[in-house]
Amino acid sequence: MGMSKDRIKFNVGGRIFETTATTLANAGRDSFFGALFDDEWNLSPQDSIHFVDRNSDCFAVLLDLLRTGDLNVPANIPERLLHREASFYGLLDHVRTAKWGPFDGNRLRLSDSVKGIAPGDGTAIRAGPDGGCCVAHGSVVHVFDWMLEEHSPINLDYQRVNDVGWIDSDNIVLSACERLGRGEGGMGLFSSSSGDLRYKFQVCHENQVKSYTAGALSFSPDYEIFASCKGRSNEYGIGVWDQITGKQTDFFYESPGWSLGDADKLQWLNGKNCLLVATLFPRKDNCYISLLDFRDKNMVWSWSDIGSPMAIDEKRVRDAIAMEDSNSICVVNEFEDLGFIDLRMYGGSVRWSSRSKLMKSKMPDEPCYPKLALHEGQLFSSMNDSISVFCGPDWVLTSRLRRSYGGSICDFSIGGDRLFALHSEENVFDVWETPPCPII
């Protein structure tokens, strides 16, 4: 890249700054500073002082960030002011990168706790692709950007939200319960910034549009949306929609003696080109886990605890997640004991690994069922008011995240280099970040 070494001066709010083209080029072509260069990365014009009517203190911080890669914010500069100025210059990604490093569950530190205004327990929390999140409480979804500023909420007018997911940083999909006599329910695509409904996803059965209850959601890289569906007639199963057009493209109907429409969890598996569908206790008396291949409408693998001895409740599966690298499914019971099912064996048994027997005497009065997540080779499991991190081929417990305020964790989500944990007893969620590596 042939960059000019000429110096350049700025007058920012009456304060003079001098830097080089090399430093400004670190901001990238799409930034405010990138517009000062021609196609060959030479300054244009070269002999002038560029006046910018913005905050000079923030400009000094951002210029130092471009020089050193380090973010040093004086105490007299509010964080939101710096973020606003960084947005103007197109440097928000630079600020985010400097604020926290690549995600590592063993190095996470509590960054913030955000208290909401919605009463009652939360339904779900979902991390956004840009470091923000959304929280479902009853019929309302509260949306936060990466600066944790709340946008206009999404309100379904007393229609309970079952699940929520991000299409991208601008669009959110909600699944909701059907309201009898109203013909409402199903799924909708909403703006994350305004909360406006953009379109509804319909289910067609025998060439007729049906009202339905949508449950668990999942997304594929091919711009497909999957949702568990329950209708009044025969529309029990997994629906598929095109993310771009919003049109239904497929439907996998539930077979007798199995459970798909009541699924607690869906997970798309890129390597196998299949969808994991898990219906778990206590939604059903028994647990059903299956892999669906939509190319030929085939259930290629399944497991259930039907017929298994249930003398002790601790062996009930509370959550499940597929681990493609090891050809297995990880499950967890209410005491955070991990179990593994071999995907190479049809209907095999669970190989339980007891890790938390000492925690049985510490169960709270109203515990939340544990949840699982897999992120960049690390396994996460929530239990009461903490989240455990497991690593390595044998999934050894390596660290535990705990925050006492707010009670048990009812849900957590990882995305945008952050972990969000939603508490049940208080309407509060925690934000965990990995601190940046020291610059040597």
Side-chain angles (χ1 to χ4, degrees):
M1 186 168 61
M3 293 184 297
S4 169
K5 300 300 181 180
D6 293 341
R7 295 179 178 179
I8 183 172
K9 291 184 179 181
F10 290 92
N11 180 341
V12 182
R15 183 176 168 187
I16 303 299
F17 295 86
E18 186 171 359
T19 185
T20 66
T22 302
T23 295
L24 296 182
N26 291 329
R29 176 64 74 185
D30 295 331
S31 68
F32 171 89
F33 303 107
L36 302 178
F37 295 89
D38 60 21
D39 292 339
E40 301 299 324
W41 286 93
N42 295 309
L43 284 171
S44 177
Q46 297 182 2
D47 299 325
S48 63
I49 296 179
H50 298 269
F51 177 74
V52 185
D53 191 17
R54 304 294 296 191
N55 185 285
S56 59
D57 291 336
C58 291
F59 186 88
V61 173
L62 297 173
L63 184 60
D64 184 64
L65 173 62
L66 294 178
R67 286 173 176 149
T68 66
D70 198 9
L71 184 66
N72 297 296
V73 185
N76 65 315
I77 298 180
E79 186 176 36
R80 296 190 187 279
L81 174 61
L82 180 66
H83 293 166
R84 185 190 69 189
E85 294 299 291
S87 178
F88 172 81
Y89 294 110
L91 297 177
L92 271 179
D93 286 342
H94 290 71
V95 172
R96 287 181 56 196
T97 301
K99 279 176 62 67
W100 63 82
F103 187 90
D104 182 355
N106 291 314
R107 297 183 59 241
L108 289 173
R109 298 293 182 269
L110 183 65
S111 170
D112 205 347
S113 291
V114 180
K115 186 171 179 59
I117 58 175
D121 293 347
T123 303
I125 189 166
R126 296 290 179 264
D130 62 351
C133 73
C134 59
V135 184
H137 282 274
S139 62
V140 179
V141 175
H142 299 271
V143 183
F144 300 83
D145 60 25
W146 80 274
M147 295 178 285
L148 302 180
E149 292 184 343
E150 185 173 359
H151 293 184
S152 298
I154 302 171
N155 196 325
L156 297 192
D157 190 23
Y158 304 106
Q159 197 172 347
R160 180 174 177 80
V161 176
N162 290 323
D163 200 359
V164 57
W166 294 80
I167 295 290
D168 50 42
S169 58
D170 298 320
N171 297 283
I172 296 176
V173 174
L174 269 62
S175 65
C177 293
E178 176 191 12
R179 287 199 292 186
L180 296 179
R182 297 285 296 272
E184 299 174 350
M187 298 194 308
L189 181 73
F190 294 82
S191 166
S192 63
S193 57
S194 66
D196 294 335
L197 175 66
R198 291 182 166 164
Y199 54 80
K200 295 184 67 175
F201 300 91
Q202 296 180 331
V203 163
C204 291
H205 178 67
E206 297 179 347
N207 296 322
Q208 291 185 343
V209 176
K210 300 288 186 177
S211 61
Y212 67 104
T213 290
L217 297 170
S218 185
F219 307 89
S220 78
D222 296 329
Y223 304 102
E224 291 178 314
I225 304 173
F226 301 88
S228 58
C229 301
K230 295 191 300 180
R232 300 184 195 177
S233 302
N234 224 357
E235 318 85 52
Y236 278 69
I238 306 297
V240 188
W241 291 264
D242 187 285
Q243 291 184 16
I244 299 174
T245 66
K247 303 299 183 182
Q248 180 186 341
T249 60
D250 209 342
F251 200 96
F252 197 114
Y253 287 94
E254 182 177 294
S255 59
W258 203 254
S259 179
L260 298 177
D262 280 316
D264 296 88
K265 188 168 192 174
L266 304 182
Q267 179 190 353
W268 178 255
L269 309 184
N270 290 324
K272 297 184 179 298
N273 203 21
C274 292
L275 182 73
L276 169 76
V277 183
T279 307
L280 307 167
F281 183 84
R283 188 181 297 272
K284 290 285 188 177
D285 291 336
N286 292 99
C287 302
Y288 305 83
I289 304 176
S290 52
L291 293 184
L292 306 183
D293 189 336
F294 282 82
R295 293 168 293 185
D296 55 4
K297 295 291 185 67
N298 186 28
M299 185 181 295
V300 296
W301 182 91
S302 65
W303 174 88
S304 176
D305 62 4
I306 295 177
S308 300
M310 290 294 172
I312 49 176
D313 193 52
E314 68 183 60
K315 296 305 181 185
R316 292 286 193 182
V317 173
R318 305 293 186 171
D319 199 10
I321 191 167
M323 310 171 78
E324 290 192 86
D325 291 343
S326 59
N327 272 313
S328 63
I329 290 180
C330 178
V331 296
V332 65
N333 65 11
E334 66 180 270
F335 297 108
E336 206 188 14
D337 295 328
L338 300 181
F340 299 89
I341 310 173
D342 195 334
L343 281 173
R344 294 167 295 186
M345 298 176 58
Y346 200 96
S349 61
V350 180
R351 177 173 55 86
W352 289 101
S353 175
S354 298
R355 302 175 186 270
S356 51
K357 296 297 185 182
L358 296 178
M359 298 180 64
K360 292 186 177 181
S361 61
K362 302 177 183 179
M363 295 286 288
D365 294 335
E366 297 183 3
C368 292
Y369 296 131
K371 299 289 182 71
L372 293 171
L374 188 66
H375 189 80
E376 297 181 355
Q378 295 179 319
L379 179 65
F380 299 79
S381 174
S382 63
M383 180 67 185
N384 299 336
D385 64 346
S386 66
I387 296 176
S388 300
V389 184
F390 302 89
C391 298
D394 296 325
W395 300 115
V396 176
L397 176 63
T398 54
S399 60
R400 180 166 284 143
L401 315 176
R402 175 174 281 114
R403 172 70 168 170
S404 59
Y405 176 63
S408 297
I409 295 172
C410 61
D411 197 19
F412 72 97
S413 180
I414 302 171
D417 285 330
R418 279 172 162 173
L419 184 149
F420 298 90
L422 178 63
H423 294 267
S424 63
E425 296 176 16
E426 298 287 344
N427 181 16
V428 62
F429 67 86
D430 296 329
V431 185
W432 295 80
E433 300 171 356
T434 303
C437 297
I439 298 178
I440 301 176

